[in-house]
Amino acid sequence: MKISLFLSVLGLSARSASPQFGFLGQLFGGGRGGGGNRNNRPRQNGGGGGRCGGGNQPNHQFGGQNYLVSWRLGCTSFTQSGGESFCRANGMRPISLDSSAKEREFLGLVGREGQKYFWTGGRVNGRNINWPSGRRHNNVNWSNTGGANRPQPDNREGNEVCLAVLNNFYNDGVRFHDVSCHHKKPIICEA
């Protein structure tokens, strides 16, 4: 009786513990939105409850179009393909930053909201970008540095075909980087 009462109290306090004690929350089934999604598959909440699965509503508008910004839901740890699945589960696709106006809006957004980075839907082939929209827009704000201190895109890991926006990650401002698709980041989806 005393042991079960102690464990119950410990479990309740662990759920409300600060982030540095998140492992206790995970141990007792708590934790924060997205932190427990270790296998990076979108959560299916059967009925549209949302969060890191399907059923989420757009949470950003620009240019008359709706977008879903995953970090606003606490969903911040997708591989690129996991992010694509999250977008599909919400009836959307990964964002195409296929115009100067969209590039300004969303690079500004990641800076204003203090996010480190996010996935786009772009696929990199040399200096060409294939966007999910099918539109051509290759004149993006590539970083002049990266993990190997080389201008982007640099294909540093040998398979950097995914495109991410990094917020001053290499002291370079908010810029585009080619990145291996297995890295984990939030994503922005568009309708």
Side-chain angles (χ1 to χ4, degrees):
M1 171 74 174
K2 288 181 181 179
I3 291 174
S4 64
L5 179 61
F6 173 74
L7 289 175
S8 295
V9 170
L10 181 62
L12 288 174
S13 64
R15 286 185 185 152
S16 62
S18 61
Q20 68 261 27
F21 300 109
F23 69 96
L24 291 174
Q26 296 301 321
L27 179 66
F28 292 101
R32 304 177 115 183
N37 192 8
R38 299 282 183 238
N39 66 3
N40 209 39
R41 289 189 198 118
R43 294 180 180 145
Q44 301 301 321
N45 293 332
R51 300 307 269 171
C52 298
N56 293 294
Q57 296 299 311
N59 57 16
H60 188 82
Q61 283 194 318
F62 174 72
Q65 192 169 352
N66 289 321
Y67 298 88
L68 181 58
V69 180
S70 76
W71 66 77
R72 291 179 176 172
L73 304 172
C75 304
T76 60
S77 189
F78 296 111
T79 61
Q80 212 287 333
S81 64
E84 286 179 5
S85 295
F86 169 78
C87 292
R88 276 193 310 274
N90 286 286
M92 299 176 144
R93 66 179 179 213
I95 192 169
S96 295
L97 296 178
D98 54 8
S99 72
S100 296
K102 281 172 77 175
E103 182 179 341
R104 274 190 308 275
E105 171 68 12
F106 290 98
L107 270 64
L109 181 71
V110 74
R112 286 189 308 274
E113 296 194 2
Q115 293 301 303
K116 292 187 220 174
Y117 34 61
F118 71 89
W119 287 121
T120 73
R123 295 296 178 148
V124 180
N125 184 4
R127 290 191 70 82
N128 293 315
I129 303 168
N130 297 315
W131 296 108
S133 66
R135 293 187 61 202
R136 297 191 60 77
H137 179 70
N138 293 313
N139 189 24
V140 300
N141 193 13
W142 288 108
S143 175
N144 58 355
T145 189
N149 294 315
R150 294 191 308 246
Q152 301 294 297
D154 67 351
N155 198 26
R156 175 174 61 109
E157 291 185 44
N159 61 349
E160 295 186 340
V161 297
C162 291
L163 184 60
V165 171
L166 278 59
N167 182 1
N168 208 31
F169 200 80
Y170 295 103
N171 296 316
D172 57 347
V174 181
R175 301 291 198 84
F176 285 85
H177 288 259
D178 60 329
V179 178
S180 290
C181 305
H182 70 273
H183 291 278
K184 295 191 177 181
K185 304 179 182 340
I187 193 164
I188 299 176
C189 310
E190 67 181 323

